[in-house]
Amino acid sequence: MATGQDFLARLLQQATSAESTRVRVRAANIESLRDNGLPLEERLESFKYTPLARFVVDDLLEERFSPPTITVANAAPPPEITVEHSIDPLPADHHPLARINGSLLAGVVYVDVAPNTHLDYPIEIDYRQAGPCTRVCVRAGDASRCEIVERHVAAGVANRVTRVDIGSGATVAHRRIELHAAAHSQWALLAVDVGAASHYELDHYMAAAAPRRSEVVIDLTGCGASCELTGAVIGNEKQIGDLQVQVNHRATDTRSRQLVHAIAAGQSVLTFNGRIEIDARGDGSDATLTSRNLLLAPTARVNAKPELEIHTRNVACSHGATVGQLDPQQLFYLRSRGIDDLTARRLLTRAFLLRAITPRAQALGFEAELIAHLAP
Amino acid sequence: MTSRPLLEIVDLHVTVAGKPIVNGLSLTIGIGEVHALMGPNGSGKSTLTNVLAGREGYEVVAGSARLDGRDLLPLSPEARAHLGLFLAFQYPIEIPGVSNMEFLKAALDARQQSLGSEPLSTIDFMKRVRGIATELDLSAEFLKRGVNEGFSGGEKKRNEILQMLMLEPRMALLDETDSGLDIDALKVVAAGVNRYRREDRGILLVTHYQRLLDHIVPDFVHVLAGGRIVRSGDASLARELEARGYGWLTDAA
Ligand SMILES: Nc1ncnc2c1ncn2[C@@H]1O[C@H](COP(=O)(O)OP(=O)(O)O)[C@@H](O)[C@H]1O
Ligand SMILES: [Mg+2]
């Protein structure tokens, strides 16, 4: 792991080399990093279990522009896929890790789904061949419909930014799994903007790593915008997994749902921080968050923290978190039928996971991949 | 009518949280016999069946329980099941996320394995489970649902009988499988139990009511009070209890 100063010096040197100054977003990010440095010493509450420094690693400086592979089968008309070297800064670029991302990028991949287009096949984003720093931006036009399937399965360290911009009256279903590379530090940021009367569905599954931190920010910016997040976080051995979700209700009659199950085995430490913020414009908002956490070993830990911040009246909000172990009564019931203890535990663990697996995620094989990660 | 003992309980003493619940209970069920165990609420009937099945939370302070001559008490719940013991729960447990079908297959696979037999093919398994479900008036949709999840009281009880018929245990303990059933469901359950009843099997029927015993006629009836058997007799004892209640026996106990 680099010390902050070391890393920064090398990053700035690499980022300002002549070849790469074409990317406009870089300037702002580089400047900010140069002026402010990296706040590695700060004790930020949201970084309690996954300190920033864990994601500031030399391997990110690998000079290689390889975006993820993006494919869409048989789509008519196909979405427009472009790689641009000039991008606008993201709202999330205030995030120190997004700044690193922004400084090192050589290009951003845009996927544009034209207004009124309904894609019959998913936009598949596969990171197997991708370099450490990537940025993908999906723009779904008004009244369009599409599905994104994102597989974060790269071999090494990762610093990924994904942006989804949804116009009005559109529907985007996003299925995402973050797996593998358990020995490397993995950071990902997903920033979503949901326009008026649009619906965003996010199935978000992740296996912990050394460590893996995933941040999701969903802004409901148009009247009647809605989102539904269903997800699971799974950890084994000494892994660390941290899912930070923030849903911002920034318009009237917006609706959000969150259901996240965490399963911690071995000596893993998992965190789920689900935050709902309803600002003064969020009259008539409706938000729920359910966090269920399962400890499979006395040495495992979960930190579940639902948070609510409400700046208006006339909202319906509810949240709840539970932490527990496998139910001894259920175990006994299974064992009384001759099912051995280990098999009974597996059945119940899988059952717990399944309650947070959508039918589509199931069809994509996500459940099986996550269960495999839990195997001793 | 004395046959070789199948289940033999001798001077059993059980405490729950330090409180004595079963106090010197002895009961022998011969191969091929059906015994009914009756008694007021709280007399320790479920404690007995739970202890036999190996549920946690009970302390056996004295006595023994043998199935086919094998000491049950040191064994895990699954090992007891492999010896052929089956408990139909008074309150079957709900397991959302594990489908009834998956559960039955896992249980049957475990049984086959314990017998050293090959697992049933999926097709044979499905045929068998569908056949039994139909007999018990349970729809195919019911097999896909989570184990006991959102089942009505009657469906839960029928699901216990379904498992019993699938697993073909040697000794079945049925803990109030009749309570909460309407008359039609009671007939269905009784028919299932009668189909299971065989010369090489034993049944212990825990019940409050004579009405189940109109359909499943027991060889012996026992009355449990204060954690021990205070009276034993034949089927006529159940009718007497129906007419007179338990008071005349429990007062004496
Ligand atoms: N898990 C338990 N914790 C504390 N007391 C219990 C527990 N299980 C049973 N008991 C007590 O043991 C006695 C017998 O209960 P039980 O065996 O359920 O009776 P029955 O089935 O005959 O109605 C009751 O007084 C009951 O309150
Ligand atoms: Mg009882």
Side-chain angles (χ1 to χ4, degrees):
Chain A
M1 195 179 296
T3 69
Q5 288 309 318
D6 252 19
F7 176 86
L8 203 57
R10 264 189 282 166
L11 177 142
L12 290 172
Q13 188 193 12
Q14 183 185 318
T16 48
S17 71
E19 224 288 290
S20 36
T21 41
R22 281 174 304 160
V23 182
R24 186 151 47 86
V25 67
R26 285 184 137 188
N29 280 301
I30 292 168
E31 205 167 299
S32 156
L33 280 178
R34 186 184 289 129
D35 295 350
N36 305 318
L38 283 164
L40 296 188
E41 308 307 321
E42 273 179 49
R43 293 269 165 271
L44 300 167
E45 179 60 24
S46 68
F47 282 87
K48 186 168 168 192
Y49 299 100
T50 47
L52 202 54
R54 301 286 300 265
F55 304 95
V56 179
V57 291
D58 284 350
D59 287 359
L60 289 177
L61 301 173
E62 181 187 324
E63 188 124 36
R64 174 163 77 96
F65 176 58
S66 16
T69 314
I70 300 187
T71 48
V72 186
N74 296 332
E80 196 183 330
I81 300 174
T82 51
V83 176
E84 285 185 23
H85 297 281
S86 171
I87 54 169
D88 298 324
L90 279 183
D93 280 343
H94 61 82
H95 193 302
L97 296 171
R99 265 183 216 146
I100 294 176
N101 178 285
S103 303
L104 292 168
L105 281 177
V108 174
V109 183
Y110 283 90
V111 180
D112 283 296
V113 180
N116 303 305
T117 310
H118 292 193
L119 294 185
D120 294 332
Y121 292 86
I123 299 163
E124 305 213 39
I125 308 176
D126 190 320
Y127 290 85
R128 227 163 304 184
Q129 307 297 329
C133 287
T134 56
R135 200 175 275 209
V136 174
C137 186
V138 178
R139 291 182 291 212
D142 294 346
S144 66
R145 261 172 187 279
C146 67
E147 182 185 43
I148 305 165
V149 176
E150 213 182 348
R151 292 177 192 271
H152 290 262
V153 287
V157 301
N159 174 311
R160 319 227 169 269
V161 174
T162 307
R163 169 119 185 115
V164 179
D165 260 315
I166 307 172
S168 55
T171 301
V172 175
H174 191 171
R175 329 287 179 192
R176 194 169 207 239
I177 189 163
E178 303 178 38
L179 272 175
H180 306 329
H184 299 275
S185 85
Q186 314 275 321
W187 175 76
L189 170 68
L190 168 63
V192 186
D193 188 301
V194 189
S198 284
H199 183 63
Y200 176 64
E201 197 176 295
L202 174 62
D203 300 350
H204 191 287
Y205 302 99
M206 61 189 272
R212 186 189 306 276
R213 178 183 171 92
S214 198
E215 299 181 38
V216 177
V217 181
I218 302 173
D219 289 312
L220 302 173
T221 55
C223 285
S226 61
C227 70
E228 180 161 6
L229 184 158
T230 312
V233 186
I234 274 185
N236 204 352
E237 295 164 351
K238 288 190 173 158
Q239 297 158 358
I240 292 172
D242 194 339
L243 174 60
Q244 300 272 331
V245 177
Q246 167 137 11
V247 175
N248 298 313
H249 290 251
R250 302 207 190 289
T252 52
D253 300 323
T254 46
R255 184 173 184 276
S256 70
R257 295 282 174 269
Q258 294 182 56
L259 170 70
V260 175
H261 281 197
I263 304 177
Q267 290 153 271
S268 61
V269 179
L270 304 181
T271 303
F272 169 58
N273 193 353
R275 194 178 152 78
I276 300 165
E277 196 180 309
I278 302 179
D279 75 15
R281 294 163 288 183
D283 231 35
S285 290
D286 175 352
T288 69
L289 184 162
T290 305
S291 154
R292 298 196 188 99
N293 304 279
L294 176 62
L295 289 169
L296 290 181
T299 44
R301 259 176 66 192
V302 290
N303 311 290
K305 199 168 70 161
E307 284 181 86
L308 266 180
E309 196 177 316
I310 304 176
H311 297 281
T312 180
R313 287 182 214 180
N314 184 28
V315 296
C317 254
S318 71
H319 63 82
T322 57
V323 181
Q325 295 161 18
L326 292 178
D327 179 0
Q329 299 305 328
Q330 294 180 338
L331 269 175
F332 173 64
Y333 192 67
L334 296 174
R335 294 176 70 191
S336 77
R337 286 358 181 188
I339 299 169
D340 67 82
D341 186 54
L342 187 65
T343 307
R345 283 174 192 278
R346 285 204 182 121
L347 276 170
L348 294 179
T349 303
R350 183 165 162 265
F352 178 82
L353 175 63
L354 271 178
R355 290 165 71 201
I357 301 268
T358 64
R360 181 65 181 133
Q362 171 89 329
L364 288 166
F366 287 3
E367 175 232 333
E369 293 185 65
L370 292 165
I371 283 291
H373 187 85
L374 273 181
Chain B
M1 179 153 111
T2 40
S3 49
R4 200 151 61 80
L6 178 58
L7 180 67
E8 198 173 18
I9 305 164
V10 179
D11 194 29
L12 192 67
H13 291 256
V14 180
T15 60
V16 178
K19 197 172 104 184
I21 305 293
V22 173
N23 302 303
L25 183 145
S26 295
L27 175 65
T28 301
I29 296 179
I31 295 178
E33 293 173 0
V34 175
H35 290 232
L37 184 64
M38 305 181 79
N41 271 328
S43 57
K45 304 183 297 294
S46 293
T47 301
L48 174 68
T49 57
N50 284 329
V51 163
L52 292 174
R55 198 171 197 146
E56 283 176 19
Y58 301 91
E59 199 189 344
V60 176
V61 288
S64 66
R66 298 179 172 273
L67 184 66
D68 267 333
R70 290 277 308 270
D71 187 0
L72 283 176
L73 299 177
L75 301 179
S76 67
E78 55 267 39
R80 299 178 197 212
H82 296 160
L83 286 182
L85 186 74
F86 179 90
L87 168 63
F89 285 51
Q90 181 175 3
Y91 303 108
I93 309 291
E94 298 196 10
I95 312 182
V98 176
S99 79
N100 220 6
M101 192 72 100
E102 179 183 21
F103 165 55
L104 288 166
K105 182 79 166 76
L108 202 63
D109 285 353
R111 191 192 96 104
Q112 295 296 97
Q113 197 188 2
S114 77
L115 295 174
S117 319
E118 288 297 304
L120 251 64
S121 73
T122 308
I123 293 176
D124 288 343
F125 167 78
M126 297 290 279
K127 261 194 210 151
R128 189 151 148 213
V129 70
R130 287 225 178 93
I132 296 172
T134 308
E135 248 176 77
L136 293 169
D137 212 6
L138 293 167
S139 67
E141 178 267 341
F142 167 93
L143 294 167
K144 291 187 197 138
R145 277 154 66 184
V147 176
N148 295 319
E149 187 184 3
F151 289 14
S152 70
E155 283 172 335
K156 283 182 181 166
K157 298 300 171 98
R158 277 181 284 163
N159 199 28
E160 297 293 289
I161 299 301
L162 171 71
Q163 292 164 46
M164 181 182 77
L165 293 175
M166 286 296 292
L167 295 173
E168 304 182 309
R170 295 211 59 211
M171 177 73 224
L173 314 169
L174 308 181
D175 193 353
E176 293 202 32
T177 303
D178 55 333
S179 27
L181 296 183
D182 62 35
I183 191 68
D184 291 332
L186 183 77
K187 279 185 186 155
V188 167
V189 163
V193 176
N194 282 324
R195 188 161 93 69
Y196 163 79
R197 186 173 188 171
R198 239 171 50 179
E199 261 123 58
D200 58 342
R201 295 174 176 163
I203 300 176
L204 180 65
L205 284 176
V206 172
T207 181
H208 272 304
Y209 307 107
Q210 162 64 28
R211 64 175 197 161
L212 177 70
L213 306 181
D214 289 339
H215 299 277
I216 310 167
V217 181
D219 300 308
F220 298 95
V221 174
H222 311 276
V223 180
L224 189 67
R228 66 169 70 88
I229 289 174
V230 294
R231 176 71 64 114
S232 295
D234 60 15
S236 67
L237 176 57
R239 284 189 289 277
E240 196 173 351
L241 290 167
E242 184 84 346
R244 297 177 63 187
Y246 292 113
W248 58 288
L249 288 172
T250 52
D251 292 345

